[in-house]
Amino acid sequence: MSSKSVADSSRRTRRGVTSVDVAAAAGVSQATVGRVFSSPEKVSPATRDKVQDTAARLGYVPNVIARSLKSQRTNIIGAVVPAFGEYWQSVLTEFSRQLATKDRQLLLFSFAEPGDVDGVLASVAQYRLDGLVLASATIGQDQLIQMRESDRPVVAFNHPAATGIVPSVSVDNEAGMARLAMHLINTGAREILYVGGVSSASTDQTRYRGASRTLGEHGVACTYLEAGAFTYEAGYKVAQNIVERQPSPDAVMVSSDEVAFGVHDGLRAAGVQVPDDLLLTGFDGLSQSAWAGFDLTTLVQATDVLVARAIEILLADDRSPASDPVSVVVPGTIRFGKTTVTTP
Amino acid sequence: MSSKSVADSSRRTRRGVTSVDVAAAAGVSQATVGRVFSSPEKVSPATRDKVQDTAARLGYVPNVIARSLKSQRTNIIGAVVPAFGEYWQSVLTEFSRQLATKDRQLLLFSFAEPGDVDGVLASVAQYRLDGLVLASATIGQDQLIQMRESDRPVVAFNHPAATGIVPSVSVDNEAGMARLAMHLINTGAREILYVGGVSSASTDQTRYRGASRTLGEHGVACTYLEAGAFTYEAGYKVAQNIVERQPSPDAVMVSSDEVAFGVHDGLRAAGVQVPDDLLLTGFDGLSQSAWAGFDLTTLVQATDVLVARAIEILLADDRSPASDPVSVVVPGTIRFGKTTVTTP
DNA sequence: ATGTTCAATGACTACGTAAGCATTGAACCC
DNA sequence: GGGTTCAATGCTTACGTAGTCATTGAACAT
């Protein structure tokens, strides 16, 4: 009358072989099975082998959910990232790649509209993540402050306005744009236009400050023009505006590569030659900026370094709320392309 | 002698307010607190308000980990995706965006080398995910079979070789490439070269078949050339090879847009004019393919539709192992750019 | 031989929630 | 008015693991 052991084991295989099952089959306690998988050095080689064999035979896989509940650690890092944009996609990819080498996974929380961030953060809170990356330059001060209160490690990625509120990692936006500005001045540009993406983004503000301050110090004015989005299309459209401008500018500095690509193509469509009629610079150093079609002069962010530093901060787990939040600033590198000239 | 309630509550706020804490503070049972958050209609409005107020005051946030352990559902979908490539980044973004609207999150498992897939899948198994997307055309048959045995919903995304083994969603790779081939024939191309990315990718094989079959039916030969990777650089490099080829081709069909971009720029660098000297087609319909600099003739995948269908399959939860796995094929659309001509 | 030490293992419980079942009490029916 | 019904709520347990503590027994020292 007893159910066939074969049927039973197949049912077991079908869903949820637990450490208890393995323990029973191997003739040891559940605790020992657990040890084999979490701290094998505490188990004698003989038992270890026996348990591992049994586990493999039954198809046992440790349940991370249960482990997380018990240990209060998930081994998962969350990332709050805008749903669009080449730059964020590349950052995300880099995070995922680097975390994988540290046996951490990346849980994605993307949002399409800045207004969605509140909802996303509420959702984030439910997961007891080991850390959280805030990768958006439009997250508000109040939301950052709220995040600081959380007991989980947080790091703001390339969000200058977050400095001092939560730990942050950024490229040196201001200095980078300042150096691009110097480059333009050195090559003789005197009428310079700045094209921003979204003026509320803190990166946009900081980069513009880098440009306008440096240009101002050299007596060059720098008008700010907002594309309205960090997209190719926005850049393409704003190019028309640039062409019609009087006095016509010598150079256009763009807040981001993706927008700069659009400006580049939009200018060409309008018959403006880069760099003959107009110099053009970008920012970010996206892989496409090096493509022959653009070969854009831009500030290259060492994304891998930025990401590595961000991960360090998250995993350091320095739960020392007393000290000021760390703020890492990584310098960028100018890559000189053919959208500017090197000899004045 | 009792500890100050203030101190106690602050400690509570610091880490881990549970439904039990809320229950005690609100003077109800833990079960009622749980109901307020999972099935509020089962609780009287008065109690509901009381509990919600108390929860807000204490800063209670339901613990998804515990919920998952109990309910056996995580609300998380896993995605196994190559770490590199514009195409996969865009697919990933689309998944994340669509899942967010369904209150699901995306857990990323990226891998850099095809050989890493085994390790990744082992890691995946530990999470009791509600579903898994296999988004890579290089996952092997044995691994797919292994996944089929899993009790969790799985869907292969754009991996033709997975058809019949696990549920899958693909663009119509073969028909799409066939139509591009017809387009080239119609415009008079007679010496056609096919540039693949990685020949072991099942999309690569299927697309090549679409091209070679159609061309063959019209008496046109189609040599296969492997770029070696699905990257811009690989395409750029292979362009040199194309240029030196004898007899020199009229047209080049490329397996993917990203490689096509490289071929495009590589050809231009070598002094070959597209489309005057040579016609060029891509595949995927990446957003960059529409950029003015390329304006590539390509097959546009309706990524949003593909992703939507994949999510449907995952969430349908048709645990009917008897029937054959579904296989959805979504047609693509040719976008005619300036890398080919429309009048023969 | 007896005590000491320590590696190996087992028993037990907590992690935070949800679902099943039991209980209460008010509204309702004849 | 006593029985029936049902909404509202409480009690209890299970989810699968890991850490704490207790127990065992072998190796070793005295």
Side-chain angles (χ1 to χ4, degrees):
Chain A
M1 291 303 143
S2 70
S3 62
K4 303 281 288 291
S5 76
V6 171
D8 189 70
S9 86
S10 86
R11 193 180 60 77
R12 281 296 181 190
T13 306
R14 195 124 198 73
R15 52 164 298 179
V17 181
T18 74
S19 57
V20 177
D21 300 328
V22 176
V28 298
S29 71
Q30 178 271 327
T32 297
V33 176
R35 272 188 284 259
V36 168
F37 285 89
S38 56
S39 39
E41 75 284 358
K42 290 186 173 179
V43 180
S44 74
T47 339
R48 196 188 310 156
D49 291 348
K50 184 173 57 180
V51 169
Q52 280 169 341
D53 288 352
T54 313
R57 185 162 49 82
L58 298 185
Y60 168 69
V61 177
N63 185 324
V64 176
I65 305 291
R67 182 208 304 264
S68 298
L69 179 60
K70 181 68 180 131
S71 66
Q72 307 288 62
R73 311 186 57 253
T74 56
N75 277 1
I76 294 179
I77 301 290
V80 178
V81 189
F84 302 93
E86 299 283 340
Y87 174 69
W88 295 118
Q89 286 189 3
S90 67
V91 168
L92 207 58
T93 303
E94 186 64 28
F95 263 106
S96 172
R97 195 163 55 224
Q98 290 195 25
L99 285 173
T101 69
K102 296 187 186 308
D103 284 316
R104 301 297 203 290
Q105 308 303 334
L106 190 66
L107 188 59
L108 217 52
F109 298 86
S110 69
F111 60 95
E113 304 294 328
D116 301 346
V117 172
D118 270 318
V120 169
L121 291 182
S123 168
V124 165
Q126 304 188 210
Y127 294 81
R128 301 305 203 256
L129 302 169
D130 286 0
L132 185 64
V133 181
L134 300 175
S136 161
T138 55
I139 294 177
Q141 298 272 330
D142 43 349
Q143 291 161 332
L144 290 170
I145 290 170
Q146 173 192 336
M147 284 295 101
R148 182 181 49 189
E149 301 307 323
S150 139
D151 57 326
R152 304 282 156 173
V154 173
V155 64
F157 191 90
N158 232 339
H159 188 4
T163 305
I165 303 178
V166 297
S168 22
V169 174
S170 300
V171 70
D172 197 334
N173 290 285
E174 186 162 348
M177 199 55 96
R179 285 169 53 204
L180 285 170
M182 275 308 299
H183 170 55
L184 291 178
I185 288 176
N186 289 340
T187 55
R190 287 297 173 269
E191 190 65 40
I192 298 184
L193 192 63
Y194 188 96
V195 173
V198 177
S199 62
S200 64
S202 69
T203 42
D204 213 71
Q205 296 159 6
T206 310
R207 290 173 192 177
Y208 176 59
R209 190 182 327 133
S212 65
R213 179 177 297 175
T214 301
L215 294 175
E217 287 167 0
H218 291 76
V220 177
C222 179
T223 309
Y224 180 93
L225 197 61
E226 187 183 25
F230 285 104
T231 62
Y232 176 91
E233 287 75 20
Y236 194 95
K237 229 153 139 190
V238 90
Q240 193 54 43
N241 193 321
I242 295 171
V243 173
E244 293 164 355
R245 212 161 182 91
Q246 284 301 338
S248 65
D250 310 310
V252 176
M253 304 190 72
V254 187
S255 237
S256 92
D257 277 357
E258 189 168 355
V259 177
F261 298 154
V263 171
H264 178 273
D265 289 353
L267 288 175
R268 167 171 303 179
V272 176
Q273 297 297 320
V274 174
D276 301 338
D277 304 335
L278 192 60
L279 306 178
L280 180 66
T281 65
F283 201 104
D284 283 343
L286 297 185
S287 57
Q288 294 101 320
S289 70
W291 289 2
F294 296 119
D295 198 6
L296 187 68
T297 295
T298 188
L299 190 119
V300 181
Q301 299 190 37
T303 308
D304 52 346
V305 175
L306 285 164
V307 168
R309 304 303 297 273
I311 292 177
E312 273 172 28
I313 291 175
L314 287 181
L315 300 186
D317 204 16
D318 256 350
R319 313 271 72 236
S320 48
S323 65
D324 277 351
V326 298
S327 170
V328 174
V329 175
V330 178
T333 316
I334 295 185
R335 200 175 50 69
F336 297 98
K338 67 169 162 48
T339 61
T340 61
V341 292
T342 42
T343 48
Chain B
M1 293 304 145
S2 70
S3 62
K4 303 282 285 291
S5 75
V6 172
D8 189 68
S9 86
S10 86
R11 192 181 61 75
R12 280 299 179 188
T13 306
R14 196 123 198 72
R15 51 165 301 181
V17 182
T18 73
S19 58
V20 176
D21 300 327
V22 176
V28 298
S29 72
Q30 178 269 328
T32 298
V33 176
R35 274 187 283 259
V36 168
F37 287 88
S38 56
S39 40
E41 75 283 356
K42 290 187 175 178
V43 180
S44 74
T47 343
R48 198 189 309 157
D49 291 348
K50 186 172 58 178
V51 169
Q52 279 169 342
D53 289 353
T54 312
R57 185 162 50 80
L58 298 185
Y60 167 69
V61 177
N63 186 324
V64 177
I65 305 292
R67 185 208 305 272
S68 299
L69 179 60
K70 181 66 181 130
S71 67
Q72 306 288 60
R73 312 186 55 253
T74 56
N75 277 2
I76 294 178
I77 301 291
V80 179
V81 189
F84 302 94
E86 300 284 339
Y87 174 69
W88 295 117
Q89 286 188 5
S90 67
V91 168
L92 208 58
T93 302
E94 187 62 29
F95 263 106
S96 172
R97 195 163 58 225
Q98 290 194 27
L99 286 173
T101 70
K102 297 189 185 308
D103 285 316
R104 301 296 203 292
Q105 308 302 334
L106 190 67
L107 188 59
L108 217 54
F109 297 85
S110 68
F111 60 96
E113 303 294 330
D116 301 344
V117 172
D118 271 317
V120 169
L121 291 182
S123 168
V124 165
Q126 304 190 204
Y127 294 82
R128 301 307 202 254
L129 302 170
D130 286 0
L132 185 64
V133 181
L134 299 175
S136 162
T138 53
I139 294 177
Q141 298 274 328
D142 42 351
Q143 291 160 332
L144 290 170
I145 290 169
Q146 173 191 337
M147 285 295 102
R148 182 182 49 189
E149 302 307 323
S150 139
D151 56 328
R152 304 282 155 175
V154 174
V155 62
F157 190 91
N158 232 340
H159 187 3
T163 305
I165 303 178
V166 296
S168 22
V169 174
S170 300
V171 71
D172 196 335
N173 290 287
E174 186 162 350
M177 198 56 97
R179 286 170 53 205
L180 285 170
M182 274 310 298
H183 170 54
L184 291 178
I185 289 177
N186 290 340
T187 56
R190 287 297 172 269
E191 189 66 40
I192 298 185
L193 192 64
Y194 188 97
V195 174
V198 177
S199 62
S200 64
S202 69
T203 43
D204 214 72
Q205 296 159 5
T206 310
R207 290 173 192 176
Y208 176 60
R209 190 181 328 133
S212 64
R213 178 176 300 177
T214 301
L215 293 175
E217 287 167 0
H218 291 77
V220 177
C222 178
T223 309
Y224 180 93
L225 197 61
E226 186 182 25
F230 285 104
T231 62
Y232 176 92
E233 287 74 19
Y236 194 94
K237 229 156 144 187
V238 90
Q240 192 56 42
N241 193 322
I242 295 170
V243 173
E244 292 165 356
R245 212 160 181 87
Q246 282 304 335
S248 64
D250 310 310
V252 176
M253 305 191 72
V254 187
S255 236
S256 93
D257 278 357
E258 189 168 355
V259 176
F261 299 154
V263 171
H264 178 273
D265 289 353
L267 288 174
R268 169 170 303 179
V272 176
Q273 298 297 320
V274 173
D276 302 338
D277 303 338
L278 193 60
L279 307 178
L280 180 67
T281 64
F283 201 103
D284 282 343
L286 297 185
S287 57
Q288 295 101 320
S289 71
W291 290 2
F294 296 120
D295 197 7
L296 187 68
T297 294
T298 187
L299 189 119
V300 181
Q301 299 190 36
T303 309
D304 51 348
V305 175
L306 286 164
V307 168
R309 304 302 297 274
I311 292 178
E312 273 171 29
I313 291 175
L314 287 182
L315 300 186
D317 205 15
D318 256 350
R319 313 269 74 238
S320 50
S323 66
D324 276 352
V326 297
S327 170
V328 174
V329 175
V330 178
T333 316
I334 295 185
R335 199 173 53 66
F336 296 98
K338 67 170 165 44
T339 60
T340 61
V341 292
T342 42
T343 49

